[in-house]
Amino acid sequence: MLVNERQTPEGLLVAVCDEDVLGETFESDDVSLTVNEEFYGGETVGDDAVIDSLARATVANIVGTQAVELAIEEGFIDEANVLEVGSTLHAQLLWM
């Protein structure tokens, strides 16, 4: 998976995606999701690093079946809040 971290005035923004969805566009009904290099491109990491990044995130965008399923398994995302966009999964995390 790829992880990209950015510090913002509001806190840590984390973008996570499966490597195979980078550069792809997914569409479903009125939703279009482009997994672009600028936002999602980052360091290739394993599960433990993804978990660490999500644990420190204030906001996270997660795309791809593997990444979203890991976020669900680790309790960051409720499965009921996951979107199916085309052939992939998308979830957002916001800690308040």
Side-chain angles (χ1 to χ4, degrees):
M1 286 173 276
L2 298 170
V3 172
N4 190 337
E5 295 185 357
R6 294 175 190 78
Q7 199 61 264
T8 72
E10 292 78 28
L12 182 64
L13 169 63
V14 174
V16 180
C17 74
D18 294 357
E19 289 185 73
D20 64 341
V21 302
L22 189 64
E24 299 292 328
T25 296
F26 300 93
E27 296 183 355
S28 182
D29 297 325
D30 294 338
V31 177
S32 179
L33 173 65
T34 299
V35 188
N36 64 29
E37 175 77 31
E38 182 180 344
F39 188 79
Y40 288 96
E43 185 179 349
T44 300
V45 298
D47 291 0
D48 290 341
V50 171
I51 293 165
D52 178 64
S53 287
L54 291 176
R56 293 181 292 104
T58 304
V59 177
N61 286 282
I62 309 162
V63 180
T65 303
Q66 180 183 2
V68 171
E69 287 180 354
L70 178 63
I72 292 168
E73 289 170 14
E74 294 298 320
F76 294 107
I77 299 293
D78 184 329
E79 190 170 4
N81 296 322
V82 173
L83 297 176
E84 288 185 39
V85 183
S87 61
T88 198
L89 301 178
H90 174 63
Q92 294 181 321
L93 169 70
L94 172 63
W95 294 111
M96 299 184 82

